[in-house]
């Protein structure tokens, strides 16, 4: 599981930072990629990255401001031309369906794959045997959401060497043993699969937030997450501006990370006023409160380790 940042700027693209988009690379876990936001130019950023549009399974839109949304029609259209024929599901606030349908109706674009649009308010927006995704409303000028992605715990590895040492040969029973079931083996012995499994692998938790100023719902979404991706549009000297325009400072994001007990904080959505040395000062501001802070750059990735590691 890896976060890959395609765009880390706020409002407008700059030479060094495109507007917002971050991919959650789940190729090892489920052979797909999830995308959070798709600002203008996201498909161009993908061309310079290892992220393949054809592998996109879900796109989550935090809110309907252009710097988080305007790249969606182009990305979806190009996906057809690049071998993407699997269904694509879009999750986002009410209005997302109208935006997508209008863009394709007016442009006459044609897609070679099924598109599913799921608009939500709050609560569980996706759940299967591997992951659960919850959304909660943040505090911004329009409805903006944060997502909490929880990977389910998985059983430990089957101790095949021990089974061999006890005289068992590989066979179809191994699949049931891996699930922790009690199995009668070909020689008549009955064994409990749980006794042959290594330590359970603890699932990881990722929190990805849209634009917001500090609010109560943030803490529950972020609590105990292995990594929190949070906007830091301003340094704290601009706290009045941040409040006025419904954004967050690096200091405020760091305070939240400390209170929530997250494993790491990644700051993104930086104002174009912060270049070069100013970015380092913004990072220092966050690390003074939460030392495990990072500032994302375009084409930078962060591998999310399992807690047991």
């Amino acid at each position: 599981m890896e976060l890959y940042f395609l765009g880390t700027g706020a409002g407008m693209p700059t030479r060094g930072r495109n507007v917002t988009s971050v991919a959650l690379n789940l190729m090892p876990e489920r052979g797909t990629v999830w995308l959070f936001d798709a600002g203008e130019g996201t498909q161009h950023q993908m061309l310079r990255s290892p992220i393949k549009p054809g592998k996109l399974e879900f796109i989550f839109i935090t809110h309907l401001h252009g710097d988080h949304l305007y790249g969606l029609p182009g990305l979806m259209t190009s996906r057809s031309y690049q071998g993407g024929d699997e269904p694509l599901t879009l999750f986002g606030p009410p209005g997302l369906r109208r935006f997508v349908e209008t863009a394709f109706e007016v442009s006459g674009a044609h897609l070679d794959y099924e598109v599913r649009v799921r608009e939500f308010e709050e609560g569980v927006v996706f759940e299967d045997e591997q992951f659960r995704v919850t959304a909660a409303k943040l505090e911004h000028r329009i409805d903006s959401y944060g997502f909490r992605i929880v990977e389910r715990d998985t059983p430990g590895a089957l101790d095949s060497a021990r089974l061999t040492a006890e005289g068992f040969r590989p066979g179809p029973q191994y699949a049931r043993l891996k699930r922790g079931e009690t199995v009668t083996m070909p020689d008549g012995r009955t064994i409990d699969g749980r006794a042959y499994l290594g330590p359970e692998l603890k699932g990881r938790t990722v929190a990805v937030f849209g634009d917001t100023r500090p609010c109560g719902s943030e803490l529950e979404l972020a609590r105990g997450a292995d990594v929190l991706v949070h906007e830091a549009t301003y340094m704290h000297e601009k706290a009045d501006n941040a409040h006025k325009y419904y954004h967050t400072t690096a200091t405020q994001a760091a305070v939240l990370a400390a209170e929530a007990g997250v494993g790491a904080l990644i700051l993104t959505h930086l104002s174009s006023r912060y270049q070069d040395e100013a970015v380092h000062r913004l990072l220092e501001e966050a690390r003074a409160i939460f030392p495990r802070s990072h500032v994302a750059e375009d084409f930078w990735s962060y591998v999310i380790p399992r807690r047991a590691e």
Side-chain angles (χ1 to χ4, degrees):
M1 184 186 290
E2 173 191 46
L3 288 163
Y4 191 94
F5 290 83
L6 294 162
T8 58
M12 301 183 301
T14 66
R15 290 183 179 181
R17 295 181 185 274
N18 198 51
V19 285
T20 300
S21 183
V22 56
L24 181 60
N25 185 351
L26 297 174
M27 292 300 294
E29 289 76 18
R30 61 195 287 136
T32 64
V33 175
W34 295 359
L35 192 68
F36 292 83
D37 288 332
E40 181 183 0
T42 292
Q43 66 169 317
H44 294 273
Q45 298 291 91
M46 283 189 177
L47 292 173
R48 300 170 58 193
S49 82
I51 304 301
K52 306 300 181 187
K55 295 297 183 180
L56 290 175
E57 179 185 16
F58 298 152
I59 299 178
F60 297 87
I61 300 298
T62 62
H63 63 296
L64 303 183
H65 275 156
D67 58 322
H68 296 254
L69 180 68
Y70 285 168
L72 192 55
L75 172 60
M76 292 173 64
T77 305
S78 294
R79 185 174 184 264
S80 277
Y81 302 145
Q82 296 170 347
D85 54 10
E86 293 296 320
L88 177 65
T89 303
L90 312 180
F91 297 88
L96 177 62
R97 182 187 304 277
R98 183 158 56 95
F99 173 82
V100 171
E101 290 179 348
T102 300
F104 287 117
E105 178 185 351
V106 171
S107 66
H110 172 75
L111 303 181
D112 294 325
Y113 57 87
E114 179 186 0
V115 176
R116 304 161 184 163
V117 181
R118 297 182 182 174
E119 296 182 336
F120 60 81
E121 297 286 342
E122 287 186 292
V124 176
V125 300
F126 172 77
E127 187 170 19
D128 68 3
E129 69 281 357
Q130 283 186 297
F131 290 94
R132 182 180 189 187
V133 182
T134 305
K137 191 175 291 185
L138 304 174
E139 191 171 317
H140 195 47
R141 291 186 293 116
I142 63 173
D143 286 352
S144 180
Y145 292 83
F147 296 100
R148 181 180 176 89
I149 305 97
V150 178
E151 180 187 33
R152 299 190 187 278
D153 298 344
T154 55
L158 185 67
D159 191 346
S160 301
R162 180 182 166 196
L163 288 166
T164 300
E166 294 181 9
F168 298 112
R169 301 182 63 182
Q173 297 82 8
Y174 273 38
R176 296 178 58 194
L177 292 173
K178 287 180 181 179
R179 295 194 294 268
E181 298 178 13
T182 298
V183 177
T184 300
M185 303 300 282
D187 65 1
R189 283 182 285 175
T190 298
I191 61 174
D192 184 349
R194 292 173 298 179
Y196 293 83
L197 295 178
E200 186 178 65
L201 298 176
K202 187 70 175 175
R204 291 157 287 188
T205 298
V206 182
V208 180
F209 288 5
D211 292 3
T212 186
R213 62 187 180 191
C215 61
S217 59
E218 288 193 299
L219 186 58
E220 284 307 307
L221 275 180
R223 192 181 301 278
D226 293 279
V227 59
L228 166 63
V229 179
H230 200 293
E231 70 134 290
T233 308
Y234 296 96
M235 292 184 65
H236 205 64
E237 64 190 20
K238 296 287 186 181
D240 288 344
N241 282 25
H243 184 80
K244 178 179 179 180
Y245 297 111
Y246 291 84
H247 285 295
T248 302
T249 69
T251 291
Q252 291 166 337
V255 168
L256 171 65
E259 291 180 353
V262 305
L265 169 66
I266 300 178
L267 303 174
T268 187
H269 199 270
L270 274 59
S271 167
S272 59
R273 62 169 47 84
Y274 302 118
Q275 304 285 336
D276 303 323
E277 181 58 32
V279 173
H280 295 295
R281 290 193 287 111
L282 187 146
L283 178 60
E284 289 171 358
E285 179 178 294
R287 284 184 171 172
I289 297 167
F290 189 76
R292 298 186 301 279
S293 297
H294 309 270
V295 171
E297 304 284 345
D298 288 17
F299 310 113
W300 178 73
S301 65
Y302 179 86
V303 175
I304 305 165
R306 293 190 180 274
R307 296 177 202 176
E309 297 175 4

